[in-house]
Amino acid sequence: MKKQWQLLLTAIMFYTRLPVPVSTPYNAEMLNKSTRYLPLVGWITGAFMIGVLYVFGDIAPRMVAILLSIIMSVWVTGAFHEDGFADMCDGFGGGWTKERILEIMKDSRIGTYGMMGLLLLMALKYICLLPLTIPMVMLAVIIAQPLSRFVAVSIIYTHRYVRENEDSKAKPVSQGICTRDFVLAGIFGLVPLLLAILWLQNYTLLLILPALFLARWYMARLMRKWIGGYTGDCLGAVQQVAETVIYLCFCILAWKST
């Protein structure tokens, strides 16, 4: 149990900017094994977002509360996944060979593709959440944060890491994960969605799963075609796309029900 707690703290230390005890182990093996708890980190990020929505939902306009919750998610993670999405946009938008794509994604500077892609993605998140009530936004957030991270973990499980020299983003995942860790991540990723379906008796929420499958299939196909696998930036991009797809599903379902 102590080791699992240390793995969770390691995941929090790597995937967020939240403080952890200084005694928390930090090595390649721990980082690799901590990937199983990435969806659980999504629970933590979602809790911070829900806290903001709860505090500002009654004292500020809904649009302000929603925007502040998105800002909170960026702060908690240090824009870790957003940076990966921007880098992937730059790499796949500006490169035409595997070598060039990987070179561009490794560049810390953001280009036109990355800037426009990130702006449009964040705008789409915000617009999709705007029509929802605050309780429904909370539900969307607590489902999207863990589940989108599980989609990223599934890429680690089924695809191979392609960089010869590991960068800081991919160090904990370049070794892949075993089936047991994948199943554990799946439990943490899917439980909020399943509980929401049972609580609300709203089985249309199951439509989120095929939507995510299609988004994952497209992203995986794109990565496999151009670079033959994934990088740390690609995983961040997959998480961001999956999160946005879930918000889009909530928006569509809410609009169809009116």
Side-chain angles (χ1 to χ4, degrees):
M1 184 61 69
K2 179 180 178 182
K3 183 178 180 181
Q4 297 306 312
W5 174 246
Q6 289 178 335
L7 288 175
L8 175 58
L9 291 178
T10 301
I12 294 172
M13 174 173 55
F14 188 81
Y15 293 108
T16 76
R17 61 192 305 168
L18 299 176
V20 298
V22 294
S23 60
T24 302
Y26 188 87
N27 56 61
E29 182 182 2
M30 293 291 288
L31 285 171
N32 179 259
K33 291 181 179 179
S34 71
T35 307
R36 70 184 71 170
Y37 291 118
L38 181 55
L40 192 54
V41 172
W43 288 34
I44 298 172
T45 305
F48 274 89
M49 296 177 68
I50 288 174
V52 170
L53 290 166
Y54 180 80
V55 170
F56 290 94
D58 291 329
I59 64 175
R62 189 175 70 243
M63 62 178 63
V64 173
I66 292 172
L67 181 58
L68 288 174
S69 71
I70 294 175
I71 293 173
M72 174 58 75
S73 73
V74 174
W75 180 85
V76 169
T77 62
F80 189 76
H81 306 296
E82 288 83 357
D83 179 63
F85 177 81
D87 285 342
M88 186 173 177
C89 288
D90 278 332
F92 283 73
W96 293 98
T97 65
K98 174 182 176 179
E99 293 72 21
R100 181 57 180 156
I101 291 172
L102 293 176
E103 180 184 356
I104 294 173
M105 285 199 292
K106 196 171 183 179
D107 192 334
S108 60
R109 295 169 296 182
I110 188 171
T112 303
Y113 289 108
M115 180 188 68
M116 291 304 300
L118 192 56
L119 285 174
L120 292 172
L121 182 83
M122 300 303 287
L124 183 57
K125 284 185 188 182
Y126 180 62
I127 292 172
C128 286
L129 293 175
L130 267 183
L132 307 179
T133 63
I134 291 296
M136 194 58 66
V137 174
M138 292 180 177
L139 184 64
V141 162
I142 202 58
I143 289 174
Q145 294 299 318
L147 187 52
S148 62
R149 284 164 172 79
F150 172 62
V151 176
V153 171
S154 74
I155 294 292
I156 303 171
Y157 184 69
T158 59
H159 291 68
R160 69 182 186 91
Y161 179 69
V162 296
R163 282 197 189 277
E164 294 181 2
N165 298 318
E166 299 176 8
D167 62 8
S168 59
K169 282 183 186 175
K171 282 181 181 178
V173 297
S174 60
Q175 302 295 322
I177 60 171
C178 65
T179 301
R180 183 181 62 180
D181 289 347
F182 175 71
V183 171
L184 183 62
I187 293 172
F188 288 130
L190 288 166
V191 160
L193 173 62
L194 298 179
L195 289 179
I197 291 171
L198 293 175
W199 177 45
L200 298 175
Q201 293 294 299
N202 184 355
Y203 295 97
T204 59
L205 290 176
L206 286 171
L207 294 174
I208 291 173
L209 296 179
L212 284 177
F213 176 82
L214 289 175
R216 183 197 182 278
W217 171 81
Y218 174 77
M219 295 289 287
R221 179 176 178 272
L222 190 66
M223 291 183 287
R224 188 168 54 246
K225 175 182 177 181
W226 287 101
I227 61 175
Y230 71 87
T231 68
D233 289 323
C234 293
L235 296 178
V238 169
Q239 186 277 324
Q240 284 293 291
V241 169
E243 179 185 344
T244 306
V245 166
I246 295 171
Y247 295 156
L248 181 60
C249 288
F250 266 87
C251 179
I252 292 173
L253 292 174
W255 180 73
K256 292 295 288 185
S257 64
T258 58

